Amino acid sequence: MPSLVPDFLYGTAWKEERTPDLTELALRMGFRGIDTANQRRHYFEAGVGQGLTAAYRAGLVTRADLFLQTKFTYSPGQDHRLPYDPEASLSLQVAQSLASSLEHLGTDYLDSYVLHGPASNYAWTEADGEVWEAMVKEREAGRTRLLGVSNVSLRHLEQMSEAHGEVPALVQNRCYARFGWDREVRLFCRERAIIYQGFSLLTANAEVFRHRRIAELAAQINASLAQIVFAFARAVGILPLTGTSNAEHMKQDLESLKLALPADAVRAMESLAG
């Protein structure tokens, strides 16, 4: 198994029938971390598995080279194509969903299993507690190495920590510049050595691309605006996801790992939202 989480993850949401080809392409371009979810409404997890199989057959990678991350999604976030019995207990739903994910992805373990958003936007609930405890059992059984949560607030994390006596290994949130790049949650994570994954870094932050200082910096170091955002993310402790379907953009996104932004540029970007 890979000992470390990769520096960049390829996200597979909203790709539908292109999912197998784009997953294989991402691996061919150099990505070694794949993010998906057992939520057919927005993801085609089985298609990710098809792309993995093609990459294995082509000799691009082996399972041991990869970091595979998927998610358990509550029924309100699903459509009619559920990966579990909606009448079953939440604990059983977790077990059924994870078993389905392993089958879809053609593996007997995950590198990371994530709760795809708490049941309530406002608090960590008893339902979340039941799901988390079921996820812990899956980790103890060796079916996942790490556990995480996504789409969470600072309040969720504080209440979760108090309720369970542990924090997740990773947090994945949509990251808005206008909200300080999720500063409060990032600080919570930094203080507890939790990996913070940020998604929609480009699509959620169109205003950043219009900022003169960012354009000047991109020209100064001969980088694309997207590369600047990804390099900034890493500089402030965000592990970025990208979901591009363009091979050249995949290459450019990975090349951003070589960029080191000046400290004043990082400060300027972090303060764009005040």
Side-chain angles (χ1 to χ4, degrees):
M1 299 182 194
S3 59
L4 297 173
V5 181
D7 292 328
F8 221 133
L9 296 181
Y10 184 70
T12 60
W14 308 302
K15 293 179 172 53
E16 287 298 325
E17 72 281 352
R18 299 180 301 158
T19 301
D21 289 344
L22 289 173
T23 298
E24 182 183 6
L25 177 63
L27 296 173
R28 192 175 293 278
M29 298 306 295
F31 284 93
R32 293 297 178 261
I34 301 293
D35 174 84
T36 186
N38 205 348
Q39 179 202 33
R40 193 60 189 86
R41 179 179 179 181
H42 296 310
Y43 293 80
F44 182 19
E45 189 182 58
V48 172
Q50 294 167 21
L52 295 175
T53 297
Y56 299 152
R57 288 175 177 166
L60 295 176
V61 292
T62 67
R63 170 66 182 92
D65 296 325
L66 302 181
F67 181 88
L68 299 183
Q69 174 171 283
T70 192
K71 310 179 191 79
F72 169 81
T73 308
Y74 283 114
S75 58
Q78 303 272 8
D79 61 17
H80 63 283
R81 296 167 289 182
L82 292 166
Y84 47 71
D85 177 0
E87 301 302 319
S89 68
L90 289 171
S91 296
L92 187 53
Q93 288 180 24
V94 169
Q96 291 174 346
S97 187
L98 191 143
S100 170
S101 290
L102 294 178
E103 182 178 355
H104 287 161
L105 298 173
T107 184
D108 58 4
Y109 71 94
L110 300 172
D111 296 288
S112 173
Y113 195 45
V114 177
L115 171 56
H116 201 183
S120 164
N121 290 332
Y122 307 106
W124 184 260
T125 64
E126 288 186 10
D128 298 321
E130 181 180 347
V131 166
W132 182 257
E133 293 301 330
M135 291 170 63
V136 168
K137 289 179 181 177
E138 297 293 341
R139 181 184 64 193
E140 291 172 346
R143 286 186 283 271
T144 184
R145 291 197 306 126
L146 303 176
L147 296 177
V149 293
S150 67
N151 302 302
V152 288
S153 67
L154 178 60
R155 181 173 182 175
H156 285 128
L157 291 169
E158 290 174 339
Q159 292 178 343
M160 176 193 182
S161 175
E162 183 176 347
H164 300 283
E166 74 167 315
V167 293
L170 57 92
V171 165
Q172 184 186 107
N173 273 1
R174 180 175 278 109
C175 213
Y176 293 99
R178 62 183 178 275
F179 297 141
W181 304 95
D182 205 15
R183 187 178 292 117
E184 287 186 340
V185 171
R186 285 193 292 115
L187 180 59
F188 180 97
C189 292
R190 185 181 309 139
E191 290 174 344
R192 293 160 181 82
I194 298 169
I195 297 164
Y196 181 96
Q197 301 177 357
F199 68 95
S200 295
L201 288 165
L202 305 183
T203 56
N205 297 300
E207 70 276 13
V208 172
F209 294 95
R210 295 192 293 268
H211 200 280
R212 188 181 68 181
R213 177 73 179 89
I214 308 307
E216 291 173 348
L217 178 62
Q220 177 184 334
I221 64 175
N222 192 30
S224 71
L225 293 173
Q227 287 177 319
I228 295 294
V229 171
F230 290 134
F232 161 76
R234 289 186 299 103
V236 298
I238 298 171
L239 192 164
L241 281 81
T242 182
T244 182
S245 58
N246 180 286
E248 183 60 29
H249 290 168
M250 289 182 186
K251 179 182 176 183
Q252 291 174 2
D253 291 351
L254 288 171
E255 287 175 347
S256 73
L257 293 170
K258 303 172 186 175
L259 290 179
L261 302 184
D264 63 325
V266 174
R267 288 193 297 270
M269 288 188 69
E270 193 157 19
S271 64
L272 285 177

